[in-house]
Amino acid sequence: MAPNLAPNRETVYGVAMRNFTRYPEMPDAKGLIEYGVRMEELGFESLWAWDHTLLGVDPNFPIHDALLMLTAVAARTTKIKIGTGILVMPLRNPVLLAKELATIDHISDGRMILGAAVGWYRREFDSLGVDFTKRGKIMEQSLEIVTRLWTEEKVVGDYDPYNLRGAVMYPKPVQKPRIPILIGGYVDAVLKRAATKGDGWLTYYYTAEAFARTWAKVRGFAEEAGRDPDELISTNQLPICVGPRDKIEGPMKHWLQTEWDYASWSESTMDSAIMGTPEECVEQLQAHLATGIDRIIFVPYRYEAEQIDAIANDILPKLKAR
């Protein structure tokens, strides 16, 4: 049985936090905690942190640890869900990760969502002593380990290099049967993993057309595996900038070109950006809603306060009214 993320299946709206910046600017840990509190006050359904240990050389991108930031926000909030978008799972010891996430689920009273993927930054893997070429296999193994530790009374299994000889992990997560898992990625092997090993797919900067096309593949893989595709949850991270298009388009494109990556093997693109007046943004978002998407995570232009207020006050009410 899969965790029920969105019982009413209405589209919900999350927001990303700026826990990474471009050097020499540094992310503000205390400011990010207050940001999380404010996102709950504004009515966002969920708050999402980016995950890397190391990112970039020249330029490099300073980043605060995703799980620590989400833990701090969880302690200061009561309603907003918290998620990793995404966690580079092969870089984490899965036994420690299962413990950390279960603890966060208790601190948050059952608000944790695990978004996870294999990662792409080879230098990061090399620095942490993890074989980059085996990251897919490691991810599969880690998913099995954390799921078993969360759901079984005692785990016995040899998962090289982890020898679980009667591994008993309590407390279990608050959420039953376990913390929801959304799997990120683009190639067919990953889409199959999302359809069969987790609770859905989380993607990054996909246009409505690309999203619909790829989500259909995920659903197809679920059906092939004998799983009800309606159980799966779909999520897309979308950049957004609210304002007169002739004034915002240039700065928005510059930001998207200088602080964001687009994997060549994916359909991620800066063309996914939502831009314009509130009415224009709502119109552009309607194409995404038409795909039946379960969750949109907004990535506001430079995380500016006025942008976030515009989304919360001028866009969300219009979307929810439709």
Side-chain angles (χ1 to χ4, degrees), residues 123-142:
R123 276 196 182 94
E124 188 176 30
F125 279 75
D126 293 345
S127 297
L128 288 164
V130 178
D131 189 338
F132 182 79
T133 66
K134 295 180 180 179
R135 65 195 189 282
K137 180 180 179 181
I138 295 170
M139 172 98 177
E140 293 273 350
Q141 178 173 280
S142 294

Side-chain angles (χ1 to χ4, degrees), residues 1-5 102 105-106 112 146-153 169-181 197-199 227 231:
M1 188 174 96
N4 195 356
L5 300 189
D105 205 43
H106 279 267
M112 183 71 213
V146 298
T147 297
R148 292 190 66 190
L149 288 170
W150 286 340
T151 59
E152 298 179 19
E153 289 186 7
M169 182 174 286
Y170 283 94
K172 303 298 185 188
V174 172
Q175 298 177 85
K176 303 303 178 188
R178 55 163 171 74
I179 292 167
I181 300 172
K197 304 292 186 181
D199 304 305
R227 183 175 188 182
E231 291 182 353

Side-chain angles (χ1 to χ4, degrees), residues 8-268:
N8 58 10
R9 305 300 289 194
E10 293 178 359
T11 303
V12 293
Y13 303 96
V15 64
M17 70 154 55
R18 195 189 188 199
N19 62 310
F20 82 89
T21 54
R22 182 186 174 99
Y23 186 87
E25 186 177 3
M26 296 292 161
D28 177 3
K30 292 182 179 179
L32 288 169
I33 297 170
E34 298 304 323
Y35 174 91
V37 172
R38 178 62 175 156
M39 296 308 103
E40 179 172 83
E41 292 172 348
L42 288 173
F44 287 99
E45 175 264 350
S46 51
L47 176 71
W48 298 79
W50 312 94
D51 177 61
H52 280 286
T53 303
L54 306 172
L55 184 59
V57 177
D58 186 19
N60 74 83
F61 296 88
I63 185 166
H64 279 310
D65 182 80
L67 297 185
L68 291 176
M69 289 309 315
L70 293 175
T71 301
V73 171
R76 291 280 309 279
T77 54
T78 60
K79 296 179 181 179
I80 194 168
K81 294 181 181 180
I82 50 174
T84 53
I86 53 77
L87 184 108
V88 186
M89 199 168 193
L91 294 179
R92 306 264 181 163
N93 178 306
V95 181
L96 289 174
L97 180 63
K99 172 59 69 179
E100 290 166 343
L101 291 170
T103 300
I104 298 172
D105 205 43
H106 279 267
I107 292 170
S108 66
D109 196 22
R111 290 180 281 141
M112 183 71 213
I113 303 171
L114 172 61
V118 298
W120 56 271
Y121 186 44
R122 188 161 193 153
R123 276 196 182 94
E124 188 176 30
F125 279 75
D126 293 345
S127 297
L128 288 164
V130 178
D131 189 338
F132 182 79
T133 66
K134 295 180 180 179
R135 65 195 189 282
K137 180 180 179 181
I138 295 170
M139 172 98 177
E140 293 273 350
Q141 178 173 280
S142 294
L143 285 168
E144 183 172 335
I145 290 172
V146 298
T147 297
R148 292 190 66 190
L149 288 170
W150 286 340
T151 59
E152 298 179 19
E153 289 186 7
K154 181 174 65 175
V155 178
V156 176
D158 190 1
Y159 299 93
D160 186 38
Y162 310 105
N163 184 12
L164 305 184
R165 297 182 296 109
V168 178
M169 182 174 286
Y170 283 94
K172 303 298 185 188
V174 172
Q175 298 177 85
K176 303 303 178 188
R178 55 163 171 74
I179 292 167
I181 300 172
L182 303 180
I183 295 175
Y186 315 111
V187 301
D188 281 2
V190 173
L191 301 179
K192 288 180 181 178
R193 186 179 298 139
T196 59
K197 304 292 186 181
D199 304 305
W201 180 53
L202 188 160
T203 194
Y204 163 88
Y205 290 18
Y206 264 41
T207 65
E209 295 77 15
F211 174 85
R213 184 167 52 250
T214 310
W215 180 237
K217 292 178 70 173
V218 175
R219 290 178 59 88
F221 289 138
E223 289 179 340
E224 289 174 11
R227 183 175 188 182
D228 181 359
D230 289 337
E231 291 182 353
L232 299 175
I233 300 297
S234 58
T235 299
N236 191 6
Q237 298 165 317
L238 285 176
I240 183 170
C241 188
V242 186
R245 194 171 183 114
D246 59 338
K247 293 183 179 179
I248 65 171
E249 188 166 7
M252 179 63 161
K253 286 186 175 180
H254 177 74
W255 185 58
L256 292 172
Q257 288 169 339
T258 57
E259 294 194 23
W260 302 94
D261 288 304
Y262 308 93
S264 60
W265 59 92
S266 77
E267 293 189 70
S268 297

Side-chain angles (χ1 to χ4, degrees), residues 300-321:
Y301 172 67
R302 295 194 181 278
Y303 301 86
E304 292 177 350
E306 55 267 33
Q307 287 290 321
I308 295 161
D309 287 343
I311 297 167
N313 299 323
D314 301 329
I315 293 177
L316 292 190
K318 292 182 175 65
L319 291 173
K320 292 176 180 178

